[in-house]
């Protein structure tokens, strides 16, 4: 809207960026497992982010779709590199893999908690182009950190498995674990996209309610991400994820029944609790079925999140148009229930 384009442009941009993210993440995963150096791929993502922000400053529709969306796809795929490198670094340095995965995932959540609000503040104070200029600056800083921290010849090759086993066929347990992640991410995206309009338009809460709800949710999310590794020392990752799915089902129905501000705060805390447990556990759970191909498993994890957002937002709009935003939130329970079923089906599979 600020750049002067129709709302439908957002849909075109989003689909292009998500498809680019999925393709790039898959390619990164395969290349990293094959022993390709991490730093050049990471710098390619940095360049994608920088060029995407630079193209966005012009505001032309063709540049937004062809250059900015594609560049952001490359940038998003960097998560596969970072999580794969983090897993490899943790293994080499004999770190607690679960705790280190949770720490990396918490960094992502903190970024999502702080930077969108900062972007809107910059838009309000200096306009949209100032956001893109700041994004270019951050991409340059990111590139500098990559050069300074990631060794030039760093690789994250496939982990050697005992007995010389290799993963030549279809890894069904990994696919089921990724499908469970997709269902939970789908449920989260469905609820999150419907929640702001639901709280203000259908419930009639003040305009600040969605922002307050998001703050409570993010605070609980970060706390539970940090607690998840400690809980996994007592219970399995599968059991913890199952608890997160059950909590999600309860949370969605509480949120959809909200009529007062205190009830909204309780629902936001429940939402943050389930998503924090999921975010702090799911990467480790999926990587446990990698059969030595950690980067491919990480790419599947990231793609499950990208795909979930791609399908959830249009479905939310369709349901809200013909029913209500509250029904969209209740419908998210189906996604959490499907995740719970998939987790049950993996109960006989042994993770690494």
């Amino acid at each position: 809207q600020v750049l002067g384009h129709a709302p439908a442009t957002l849909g075109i941009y989003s689909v292009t960026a998500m498809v680019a993210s999925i393709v790039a993440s898959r390619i990164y995963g395969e290349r990293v497992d094959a022993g390709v150096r991490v730093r050049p791929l990471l710098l390619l993502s940095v360049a994608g982010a920088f060029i995407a922000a630079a193209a966005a400053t012009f505001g032309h529709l063709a540049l937004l779709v062809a250059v900015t969306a594609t560049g952001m796809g490359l940038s998003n795929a960097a998560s596969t590199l970072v999580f794969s490198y983090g897993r490899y670094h943790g293994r080499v340095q004999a770190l607690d893999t679960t705790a280190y995965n949770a720490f990396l995932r918490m960094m992502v959540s903190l970024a999502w908690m702080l930077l969108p609000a900062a972007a809107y503040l910059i838009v309000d104070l200096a306009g949209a182009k100032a956001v893109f200029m700041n994004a270019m600056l951050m991409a340059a800083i990111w590139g500098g950190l990559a050069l300074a921290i990631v060794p030039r010849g760093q690789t994250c090759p496939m982990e050697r498995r005992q007995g010389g086993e290799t993963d030549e066929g279809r890894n069904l347990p990994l696919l089921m674990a990724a499908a469970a992640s997709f269902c939970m991410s789908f449920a989260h995206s469905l609820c999150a996209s419907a929640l702001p309009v639901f709280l203000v338009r259908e419930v009639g809460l003040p305009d600040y309610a969605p922002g307050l709800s998001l703050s409570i949710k993010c605070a609980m999310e970060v706390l539970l991400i940090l607690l998840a590794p400690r809980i996994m020392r007592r219970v399995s990752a599968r059991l913890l994820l199952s608890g997160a799915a059950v909590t999600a089902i309860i949370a969605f129905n509480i949120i959809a029944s909200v009529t007062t501000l205190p009830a909204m705060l309780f629902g936001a805390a429940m939402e943050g609790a389930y998503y924090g447990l999921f975010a702090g556990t799911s990467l480790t759970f999926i990587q446990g079925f990698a059969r030595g191909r950690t980067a491919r498993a990480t790419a599947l994890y990231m793609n499950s999140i990208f795909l979930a957002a791609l399908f959830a937002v249009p479905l939310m709009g369709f349901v809200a148009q013909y029913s209500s935003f509250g029904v969209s939130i209740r419908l998210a329970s189906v996604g959490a229930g499907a995740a719970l079923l998939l987790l049950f089906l993996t109960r006989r599979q042994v993770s690494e």
Side-chain angles (χ1 to χ4, degrees):
Q1 182 178 351
V2 175
L3 297 176
H5 297 299
T9 303
L10 180 61
I12 300 172
Y13 169 86
S14 298
V15 170
T16 305
M18 285 299 175
V19 171
S21 300
I22 291 166
V23 172
S25 185
R26 176 61 186 245
I27 293 173
Y28 279 10
E30 295 292 342
R31 301 308 297 160
V32 170
D33 276 336
V36 171
R37 290 183 298 141
V38 172
R39 196 163 79 169
L41 295 177
L42 189 56
L43 291 176
L44 179 61
S45 291
V46 172
F50 187 90
I51 293 171
T57 60
F58 295 98
H60 296 305
L61 177 59
L63 286 175
L64 287 173
V65 174
V67 180
T68 299
T70 304
M72 290 307 299
L74 285 173
S75 177
N76 289 338
S79 298
T80 295
L81 297 174
V82 172
F83 289 140
S84 299
Y85 177 45
R87 170 86 178 203
Y88 180 83
H89 176 75
R91 178 162 57 89
V92 171
Q93 299 296 324
L95 302 177
D96 184 336
T97 301
T98 301
Y100 196 59
N101 275 345
F103 174 77
L104 292 175
R105 186 59 182 80
M106 183 193 68
M107 293 296 102
V108 176
S109 293
L110 282 175
W112 275 107
M113 182 168 65
L114 299 175
L115 295 183
Y120 282 113
L121 179 61
I122 293 172
V123 169
D124 187 48
L125 294 176
K129 288 189 177 181
V131 174
F132 304 136
M133 297 300 294
N134 277 275
M136 293 168 65
L137 175 61
M138 293 191 69
I141 295 172
W142 177 21
L145 290 172
L147 289 171
I149 295 173
V150 181
R152 183 176 182 180
Q154 181 66 60
T155 62
C156 304
M158 291 173 57
E159 300 176 22
R160 295 185 180 275
R161 307 183 68 209
Q162 294 181 353
E165 298 177 48
T166 57
D167 178 25
E168 299 293 343
R170 177 177 296 178
N171 188 342
L172 184 59
L174 175 63
L175 294 177
M176 286 196 295
S181 175
F182 168 82
C183 290
M184 284 294 286
S185 299
F186 179 85
H188 174 258
S189 296
L190 194 59
C191 175
S193 58
L195 187 59
V197 182
F198 168 74
L199 291 175
V200 175
R201 182 184 299 177
E202 295 187 3
V203 180
L205 294 178
D207 290 344
Y208 64 81
L212 180 60
S213 174
L214 180 62
S215 297
I216 298 299
K217 182 256 186 187
C218 288
M220 284 294 294
E221 178 184 332
V222 170
L223 176 62
L224 268 295
I225 288 175
L226 291 174
L227 290 177
R230 298 187 179 186
I231 300 174
M232 274 192 283
R233 293 171 188 167
R234 299 179 179 272
V235 300
S236 68
R238 181 182 294 105
L239 186 59
L240 188 55
L241 285 172
S242 299
V246 172
T247 304
I249 294 172
I250 297 171
F252 295 141
N253 285 280
I254 289 175
I255 293 170
S257 303
V258 161
T259 55
T260 64
L261 201 60
M264 181 205 74
L265 296 178
F266 180 72
M270 289 285 290
E271 184 187 11
Y274 95 76
Y275 196 69
L277 290 175
F278 164 71
T281 310
S282 55
L283 176 59
T284 298
F285 179 68
I286 291 174
Q287 287 179 340
F289 296 106
R291 295 180 183 173
R293 302 186 65 178
T294 304
R296 184 185 69 165
T298 306
L300 277 173
Y301 165 73
M302 292 307 306
N303 284 346
S304 70
I305 297 174
F306 296 146
L307 277 173
L310 186 63
F311 288 114
V313 176
L315 178 63
M316 180 278 297
F318 180 81
V319 173
Q321 180 175 347
Y322 291 98
S323 184
S324 68
F325 288 96
V327 171
S328 296
I329 294 173
R330 290 190 189 277
L331 187 61
S333 301
V334 177
L340 187 62
L341 175 61
L342 286 164
L343 289 167
F344 177 78
L345 293 176
T346 65
R347 71 193 186 284
R348 298 187 185 279
Q349 307 297 330
V350 179
S351 63
E352 299 172 354

